[in-house]
Structure formats: structure tokens, C-alpha cells
Amino acid sequence: MLPHIALVLISALTVTAGPIRKRCNTGPPAPSGTPTPGGPVDPTGPPPAPVVTPTLPVHGGSKELAGPEPLVFKSVLLGHGIQNYTCSAAGAKATATGALAVLWDIAPLFPGSGPRALSSEEWAGLTVKALHTTDIPLNPAVDAGRPYAADPNAPFPAAADLTLEGVQGPLRFAGHHYFAGSVPTFTMGDALFVGKKDDGIAAPTTADKGITGTGTVDWLKLSDTGSSRVTKLAYRVYTAGGVAAACTEAGQAESVPYTAQYWFFG
């Protein structure tokens, strides 16, 4: 019997001395939608947030500006400044001689784009809000005889972000708009747009007529003249103000406050 007992004891010791297995993870399951190591995202989890690309607005009238396709969206900026005019004679329509404006980035405010996004109504009214609730962001001319004229030698103050009532966070300064001779020019950091007018349509009849109440400048489509960088196409939309009053004498000059959204594609 002893050999049999010894054999049983040896077998028991062999089992006891065997390797110990680690216990399987019995913790709580990962949240739905969490990817497992080496595996795909749980299809039952919430879908990822969509990436929203700002879309050029539709005018809604009998004519629309041609779209930017196949170019891609680059930026959308708020412009606030003045439109300049001169008069050839009393009773004549004032002739536009250029514009000056400061530009701010408003892409983060586009509806559906993120935590700072505005409603569609707020987005469409952003230019009106800026025109009527903020000062003209230009250095005023001295003794020009025109209430809104800018200093011709140094029209732009130091770069600064813009705070608008009801808008989360300041709008980032993006650049300047001016005319080099008769050529509309936009400087925007590394980007430059030097353009020419391709097409224009009258602003909607419901558009804000501005501080002076004299009318709203057109919506425009501008194309690159060949000197631009990063951008190749620009649009001026959601305009507010900017139209001169009727001329009362030859040589009359006028500066009219305006705002607009400027869209760039490249």
C-alpha cells in the first residue's frame, strides 16, 4: 500500500506546483463607443461629431452669384469700415473710389460648427450687429469735413480682436481690406487676395441701409488678378450700409460706414 500512497501524494504536489493563471479582467465594461485594443469602434456607440464646412449663403433673389466650385473654402471674415465716394456734379450718382476695412475671423461662429456657433438668424445678422453696436475701426481723418473719413496716411489702428455683444469670445483679428489704386486688396497673414470684380447683384431689399440710411452695397464675386496667395476667389455678402447719399455739388467726397462678410476660396 505504501507505494500507492506515495504516488497519490506526488500527484497532488505536482498539481499544486503548477503555474498560476492570471484572472480575467472582471471590471466594468468600457463605455459604448470606446474602441477596443486592436478592434473597431463599437457600432452601437454615438457617431462622431460631423465636420461642418461653412457654406456660402444664397441670395434668394432672381439671380445668384456663381458658386466657387471646384475651389475649396479657405476663410470667412467680417469686414467693418467705410466705402469712399466722389461726385462729378450736383445731382449725379456718387462714384465709388475704394474702401477701407478691418477684417476678423468669424468661421468659428458659423451655424453648427462648434461651441461658439450662432443660430442661422444670428449669423445672417452679424454684419448688422457689428455696424450698429461697434465703432468704426479706423483712425479718423483730421478736419476732413466728413464725419466718417479715415486718416489717408495711416487709416488702420494697431491690430486688435473684436468683442461683440452676445457673441462668445472675441473675434480674432485677421487682416485689412483696402484699394491699391483701383484694385481691391485683402491682406490676411500669409494669405493675400488681389482681385477684380466678376459679378454683382443688388443686396436683398430687406438688407440694412446702414447708419446713414442711404442704402446697402451690392453682393459681389471677385476673382484673382494673378497676384494672390492661398486664395483665388472672394465674395462680399450679407452687406449692411455703405451707399453714398445723392451728390449736391461737384467735387463732393463722402465716406459711408459699412459691414460685410467676405468669403475666400482657393
Side-chain angles (χ1 to χ4, degrees):
M1 296 297 292
L2 287 177
H4 177 71
I5 294 172
L7 181 60
V8 171
L9 290 173
I10 291 171
S11 298
L13 289 172
T14 301
V15 172
T16 304
I20 299 175
R21 294 174 180 262
K22 293 183 178 179
R23 296 181 64 186
C24 295
N25 182 12
T26 58
S32 179
T34 302
T36 56
V41 174
D42 181 355
T44 63
V51 176
V52 176
T53 299
T55 306
L56 190 69
V58 173
H59 180 279
S62 59
K63 177 185 176 182
E64 296 287 348
L65 297 173
E69 296 78 9
L71 300 180
V72 298
F73 171 79
K74 292 297 182 181
S75 62
V76 54
L77 309 178
L78 169 67
H80 186 186
I82 55 174
Q83 296 280 330
N84 292 321
Y85 297 87
T86 59
C87 290
S88 59
K93 181 180 179 180
T95 301
T97 58
L100 294 166
V102 179
L103 307 171
W104 294 276
D105 180 19
I106 55 173
L109 307 183
F110 187 78
S113 62
R116 297 177 61 196
L118 302 176
S119 68
S120 296
E121 183 178 356
E122 291 170 330
W123 172 257
L126 194 62
T127 51
V128 176
K129 177 190 285 285
L131 181 63
H132 290 279
T133 65
T134 64
D135 295 333
I136 298 172
L138 301 172
N139 293 326
V142 178
D143 299 328
R146 291 175 288 157
Y148 304 113
D151 184 338
N153 299 314
F156 298 116
D161 295 342
L162 177 67
T163 298
L164 280 178
E165 182 180 351
V167 174
Q168 181 182 344
L171 305 182
R172 181 183 61 82
F173 169 81
H176 296 124
H177 169 40
Y178 57 91
F179 275 62
S182 60
V183 180
T185 304
F186 299 79
T187 56
M188 305 163 287
D190 293 335
L192 169 70
F193 183 77
V194 181
K196 60 182 178 64
K197 178 181 174 181
D198 277 352
D199 198 5
I201 52 179
T205 56
T206 56
D208 188 271
K209 292 179 171 54
I211 293 173
T212 61
T214 46
T216 313
V217 289
D218 292 350
W219 289 27
L220 300 178
K221 176 177 179 281
L222 308 171
S223 63
D224 173 34
T225 60
S227 303
S228 302
R229 297 191 305 269
V230 181
T231 58
K232 295 182 179 179
L233 193 65
Y235 292 83
R236 184 180 76 183
V237 299
Y238 285 144
T239 51
V243 172
C247 294
T248 58
E249 60 181 346
Q252 175 186 346
E254 188 173 0
S255 296
V256 186
Y258 88 106
T259 51
Q261 285 189 12
Y262 288 100
W263 291 66
F264 296 91
F265 297 83

